[in-house]
Amino acid sequence: MMNMSVVNKEVQIGNIEVIGVSSSSVFLIGDTEIITLSSIFDTPPESLVIGPLVPLAPER
């Protein structure tokens, strides 16, 4: 048996740097009870072009 104790305290975020994002991603800070994800794609598959990923900012 495993006993677990969770103590929620205040979270302070000073700075966040996002280097890149994938085609399906979730970025969370803090608590959440429910996450609902959905996707609708009304483009015909033959017109979909998937190319290389482009970073948001140049690497340092």
Side-chain angles (χ1 to χ4, degrees), residues 9-36:
K9 295 188 177 185
E10 184 177 333
V11 175
Q12 294 182 4
I13 307 298
N15 187 22
I16 298 173
E17 181 178 343
V18 178
I19 302 300
V21 220
S22 69
S23 52
S24 65
S25 51
V26 174
F27 181 76
L28 297 173
I29 296 174
D31 296 335
T32 185
E33 289 187 23
I34 298 173
I35 298 176
T36 303

